[in-house]
Amino acid sequence: MIQDYLILSIILFSLGILGVISRRNVFTVFMSIELMLNAANLAFIALSRLHESMDGHVLAMMVMAVAAAEAALALAVVILLHKHKGKLDTNVFSLLRG
Amino acid sequence: MENTATYLGLIPLLPLAGALVTGLLHMLTCRRKPLPELFYGVVGCIGPLLAFFFALVLFFHLKGMPAEERFLSHIPYTWFAVGDLRVDMGFLADPLSSLMLLFVTFIGSLIHIYSIGYMAGDENFGKFFSYLNLFLGSMLILVLGNGPVVMFVGWEGVGLCSYLLISFYSKERENVLAGNKAFIVNRIGDFGFVLGVSLLFWAIGAGGFDYLALQANAGSLTPGVGIAVCLLLFLGACGKSAQIPLYVWLPDAMAGPTPVSALIHAATMVTAGVYMVARFSFLYVQFPVAGSVVAWVGILTALLAAIFGLFQRDIKKILAYSTVSQLGYMFAGVGVAAYSAGIFHVFTHAFFKALLFLGAGAVIYALHHQQDIWKMGGLKEKMPKTYWTMLIGALALAGCPPLSGFFSKDEILFSALAHGHIGIWLVGVVVAALTAYYTFRMIFVVFHGQPRDQHAWEQAKDAPAVMTWPLLILAFGAFFVGFLNLPGLFGGGLRVSHWLAPSLVESHPHVGLGVELLAVFAGVAAFVVGITLAYRKFGKGATEPEYRGFARFAYHKFYVDELYNALFVQPYKAFGGVISRILEPKVTDLPVRLSTWLYRWAGNAFKVLQVGYVRVYALYMVIGLSLMSLILSQSIN
Amino acid sequence: MHDFLTILPLLIIVFGAVVLMLLAAFEKVSLTTAAGISMGFFAAAFAAQLLAGCGPQRLVFEEIFNGMLVAGNFTMVAALVIFACGFFSTTSSHTYFQVNRFDGLEFYSLLLFAAAGMVLLTMAAELITAFIALEVMSLAIYVLVGYDRNRVTATEALLKYLMLGAFAGAFFAMGTALLYGAAGSTHFTAIATVAASEAGSPLLLGGAFLLFVALLFKVAAFPFHAWVIDVYDGAAAPVTGFMATALKAAVFTLFANILAIHGALHQGWVEILFYLAVFTMFAGNLIAIGQNSLKRMLAASGIVHTGYLLVGLVAISADTFTGAVIGYYLAAYAAGTLGIFAALSYLGGEGEKRATFADFRGLARVRPYSAAAITIFLLSMAGIPPTAGFMGKFYIITSAIEAGQIALAVLAVVSSILSMWYYLRLIVAMYFQPAEETFATTGSPWAGVGTIALAVSVFAIGLYPIIV
Amino acid sequence: MFSYALSVMIFLPILGGLALFAAPVGRGAARAIGMAIALAVLAMGIEIFLGFSPVGGMQHVEHRPWNLSLGISYSLGVDGISLLVLMAGAVLFPLVYAVFTTRTKGFYANLLLVQGAMIGAICATDLVLFYLFWEIMLLPVFFMIGIHGGAGRLPATLKITIYTIAGSLLMLAALIYVGVAHQAQFGFWSFAIADLAALNLSGGFTVWAFFMFMVAFAIKIPLFPFHTWLPDAYTEAPTSTTFVLSAIMAKIGVYGVIRFVIPVFEIEFARWALLLALAGVAGMLYCGLAAIAQKDLKRMLAFSSASHMGIIALGVFCMNVQALTGSLFQIAAHATSTGVLFLFVGLMEERMESRQIDEFGGIAYQAPIFATFFAIAMLASVGLPGTSGFIGEFLIILGAIKFSIFIAVLAGTTLIVGVCYMLWMYQRVFFEKSNERTAQFKDLRLAEILTFLPVILLIVAMGIFPQAFIGKIEPAAQLQVAQLQKGGESGGIAASIDLAPSPHNHKN
């Protein structure tokens, strides 16, 4: 049974990765990262059940908190980006290169 | 066996001190207020004269000792000692070195005196005497040194002075080039000398590295090493004494002032090679093969130089080739293990050749530095003293009995015959005829016939007394020193040979009276033939002949200089150019430049990867991650 | 009580952060005072840590708070390095902000928070703590990177760092999850014990792998290095300095702790770390040689130094681990890098207008002392004696050879040869070329003083290697 | 002599140099301070030389543990091997201050630093300490060339710096390897050369470590084919720096081989000696031939210097006491002769603003004293007996014969090669006719005469009374060679050929 959870989790995680490397919109990218974190959360909860310990749950909570903090920051970044260039395409922001 | 004589060290020191004093004074004053020439002349002559005095003292000191104990030594200090190698700064006087010492200081003193006249008016008068003194000091170290390394000090020292004096008129490029040539060719010889000495050390030098110790240990030399040592040392001698293939520098060396040619390039320095071979007689006598090489090289050099001498037009070059030729005789002598004969020829040659050079110098002096014999002629009347003294010298050189040259040359040819070297003897006789021919060609062209340059002829006159007196003294010597070693055939007692015997390892073969007579007869015949031919051709005034065929080839000295230039000098220079222009920047440095270039290239390539798109960076991460997991899964399986 | 005493420096820092945050809310103090307060807290924490270190001899890994944290000489040194970094970053910042006016009191508060996260990270003994500490640190640093809201490059740097950092954070979380699944515990020791018994477990392997990826990202190891150039370039000079030193120190300490806590965790990774170290060193050099901007060059050279530290990790031996080698290298590296960023903060001018090699031409003619100080830092980074960088490199190579990794040691040496090019390039520009400007600066002398102090410490650390 | 003489000799110049950087003094005062310090060091050097007892071991030993965990110590000492190198470092520096009067303060400060570091490298008996000074001494040179050098100074200074640092860093790895091996064999850390000499190195990496050491020293010497930095660096550097490079720094490379490589890697050394000797000879020939094609006087001397260094290095690789002593002696001899030649060229450049051989001529008439001094130094450089150059060269060739006849024959050609380019140069520069440029050349002033005279006299004295020097260095050379022969035997290599007659040939 546990394998199923893990496989699902890894599928979600991989989807997140794909999103990060394929999408250019900042929002989508951050959503993909959220997806990856949620994949981890899924694994935490499942494994916590497996081991019958609460560590996994705690971790999941922590991850959620961190995700929220990062999301807050991400929103700030989005605003800044929009302010500077009016666009949210990550490719636009490639002044620093070479 | 050895006694000490503390004044030995003083003998070379005296001229050296003179060199230092005159040199320093000249160096410090020449730019402002030069000191009077007389001062330099007097100071410069003190050293040689005192050295001559001590040489006499030494001679009588040795004479007063029993014949087998005639060894005096003085070791002021240890020069250097490393491991088994111990080289003392030591001096050794034995019959051989005392003889050398005597004539070197004697002729040296005479030439110093002569130079006061000859060099008068030269702006570098003081420098000249300094160099001359330095030369004499080095020569005395060479002669007196008690081992090969100390000898090498003098050996190189005289080479340096030779260089300095050849290029004395250093404003002209030609002169300096001649000096360079002399130094470099000598260095080629020294290369052999150093290697030979080093080899000798490893073979038998551990027990002491002076002549006496080496002589005591020489018996244990293996033939391979022994012959190698002999030949390497002979290479040194070839350089110093202008033998094939290193003779080329000596004719050019005539660029120096004439007293220098007389002293260094005729009487003393160039004979150092002969002296060295005689010094190592204990080696050469063990390995007759090496001796034969020496003898053959010597006699062939004699022949070659005599042939060149036939066609020269520069009076000094004639004498120079004659010197090379006579040196060849000497090597033939020491090569056939007749060391005393070789040394005796050194001794007599010093007198008559110095005389001839000084005479030639007087002629050149009188004609305002005209050296071409085809611009001279008929000087007999104008310069009688010079003529008669030079005539004595020429007769001695040509081997006219009973002058000195006859006896010494005869001794060598006789020894060659007696030791069974028929070939050498035959060539030697031919060379004797050639010698007589070219010598008298010179005498006849210069002094007889009609003046070829009327203006110069009218102004010519005998040199001042300070120059003619040495001529007279040398002429006296050139005439009579031969009697010192009168062979038994003429009722003499070979006194010089006997005097030298303790220093040399040689055997005197016993041959019949017929052989002796044959040798004497051949020598006289050669002289007569040569002088007759010369008289026929040049005796009554001749014009410069056109050279064709072989003569032209010989006139150009077989193009040996050109050959050497093409074979060695130009390739050397070209190689230097190739290295500094092509090899150094493009080949040797290539790995460094290539790696630098590669590094920069890769750096630029990496710059491209920093595209600035954040997505791509994430992609790099994922790619890296995938690759790493691939490696990881490999390592698990 | 003992446990609290052990983390007293951490508490001081957190307290300071909160105090500054509160002060910022009321805007009652000047920026200079805020910087002073920040420096005071860093100094106090440093002193407290030193005092704690003077106590009885500790084990390498002493568990406190029921195994939530470990403390020992190694973590202590790491904390000292971090506090020092904070201190000098503050001095640099003060000067920097007098020229570039986009500061606020919160800046110093965030600096303290970041430092707190870092110190916590060094002491983490299990994954939950590590994750929290990592995020505390990262979130603060994100803000610091993008602190200059009006500059588009700063925002871009923030975007890149945040996006990739969050991406890596997700790997960390996933790795943690898998490791937890494999071991049933988040404690390093427990995980290591499991690793020793069942080496091939895919969960364990995958988890550790993802965890390491996250850490390697933070220290900018190849191939997770690409962000570092742009982010360092975009961030303000003092922040870059702080990131380059303190952050690296914290993450490497955690890395070393994880690897050294049990031999089993180390063995399986030697090979991959070997290749990572090699590629990191050479990739860093190749990037650095092509740069014209100083900050980008320094970022690339930071990658190279990460490579050296990875060499140190390869050479770790669980039995004899003291952390001395890595701790020393971190300190040496921090001194040099902080110093040069302090100098850049001081000399960079308004809007960091002096940023490239060419901009520093002839500095030595005009400002000989600044040039001398920069030279010292560069030499230290290049590993030329008698600077700290030399001894650091000496230790690293020694440990590598001791561990039998001779090839790695030689490659490290080759890499330092390559690194000479770009370090010397700056020295050449400063000394051998004529000055084109006056290098007038208007900032406070704090950064200058800090620079001198760091220059002295480069020699002090180098000549009297303190053995941890 | 007080017991910290060596430390003082090292740190007086270093601290003086650092103080000079910081102190607000003019160039005249800076020069005076530098001169005073250099003279103080010279006085101490002479004191050490005179008080030196000719035995094999270390003297003036200082030992202070420094880094306990790795066994690094601050240990200094002088023995016969380092004595002459040390003397070269002490004797020659005052000349620079005396001759070059118009440099900046920073230049004199750098000069002091480099002197201190060099003396440190010479006296260090701990490998790490040596490495420390070895690296430090490069830095002032880097700055001196880069700041004060000629037009092409930037590439030249980068090349010498990166080249030599590359070598040094490789040596660092090898050095640590040796230290680790010592720890593994004896159970404690030490980098003291006396401890490392006891090491029995084997294993695959040993040969690499050996070559890493050798490459580092070969670059500094410089040994063919690692010499390519030299012509540019020597030419572009200010002459005083060229002087320091050629007279002393290059010698420390040779010294390093003798001091550190021979005791530690005796087996490898014996095994590769032939190859290394070949490199030495090849370098001698190659650079000697290149010298003849140079148009720039300084560049010619640079190649000449490299050529001689090849011979000096050869002496070390011949592995017998004669050659080794010869090398040690030649180190000092070459330092004085070539060093002075470089100074003379610097002088000519300052007065005539040219270094092109073609643009000179007839200086001997304008400046007889200068020409004489130059000639003496030149003759020493070509190895004329009676000057310092002969003894060393002779001993090296003599030793080389024992080692390999082939090598010795090649080495012997140095007698010929050296004289060719030197005479060629002397002819064009000092002889022939003077021109507008040389006509205004003033002879040496009294102060300059007094400056150079001691060195010229030293050149002559070293040729006439070499035993005063050789006697002090020979015992140490004996020890070193004994160590090598041990290595050669245990490595199963015949270190020399047998020229002496075998016993059964002795009949008398």
Side-chain angles (χ1 to χ4, degrees), chain B residues 599 603 607 610 612 617 624-625 636, chain C residues 160 205 209 226 230 286 290 418:
Chain B
Y599 181 33
K607 247 178 115 144
Q610 295 293 117
Y617 295 171
L625 192 114
I636 293 169
Chain C
K160 285 178 177 170
L205 214 59
F209 180 58
D230 295 353
L286 291 177
L418 293 181

Side-chain angles (χ1 to χ4, degrees), chain B residues 26-28 30-31 77-85 87 89 123-124 127 149 152-154 156-157 160 163-164 167-173 176-177 179-181 183-184 187-188 190-192 194-199 201-204 209 216-222 225 572-573 575-581 583-585 588-589 592-593, chain D residues 159 163 224-225 227-228 231-232 285-286 288-290 292-295 303 320-322 325 365-369 372-373 378-379 382-386 390-391 393-395 397-399 401-402 405 408-410 412-417 419-421 423-424 426-428 431-433 443 463-467 470 474 478 499-501 505-506 508:
Chain B
H26 173 79
M27 189 170 82
L28 294 175
C30 66
R31 294 284 294 157
Y77 61 95
T78 298
W79 196 18
F80 55 93
V82 182
D84 292 333
L85 174 70
V87 178
M89 184 56 91
E123 57 174 339
N124 290 314
K127 190 156 87 179
V149 188
F152 191 66
V153 177
E156 285 262 282
L160 168 71
Y163 161 74
L164 289 172
S167 45
F168 187 75
Y169 300 124
S170 56
K171 284 186 177 163
E172 298 306 320
R173 170 169 286 191
V176 187
L177 284 177
N180 290 355
K181 189 172 177 182
F183 206 150
I184 291 166
R187 269 286 168 134
I188 297 173
D190 296 348
F191 157 77
V194 165
L195 286 180
V197 166
S198 305
L199 208 55
F201 166 73
W202 289 110
I204 55 170
F209 209 35
N217 294 327
S220 58
L221 265 177
T222 53
V225 174
Y572 181 96
K573 282 187 177 168
F575 204 52
V578 165
I579 285 179
S580 69
R581 273 189 292 280
L583 276 182
E584 179 70 10
T588 323
D589 205 17
V592 177
R593 293 188 183 198
Chain D
K159 196 167 182 182
Y163 218 133
F224 183 83
H227 67 279
T228 54
D232 289 334
L285 274 174
Y286 179 92
L289 287 173
I292 195 95
Q294 302 309 316
K295 297 190 166 59
F303 275 109
N320 52 51
V321 67
Q322 280 82 11
T325 312
Y365 312 108
Q366 301 299 322
I369 302 172
T372 309
F373 280 15
M378 180 187 88
L379 291 171
V382 300
L384 192 86
F390 167 68
I391 311 286
E393 227 167 57
F394 176 69
L395 285 173
I397 295 173
L398 186 120
I401 281 221
K402 178 80 171 167
I405 290 184
V409 170
L410 288 180
T413 56
T414 186
L415 291 173
I416 305 164
V417 170
V419 107
C420 286
Y421 58 79
L423 290 186
W424 175 82
Y426 200 79
Q427 172 203 340
R428 274 161 181 73
F431 290 153
E432 301 188 2
K433 295 187 177 64
D443 208 346
I464 298 178
F465 305 105
Q467 189 59 20
I470 286 180
E474 199 243 12
Q478 291 269 23
L499 293 170
N505 274 355
H506 277 283
N508 40 344

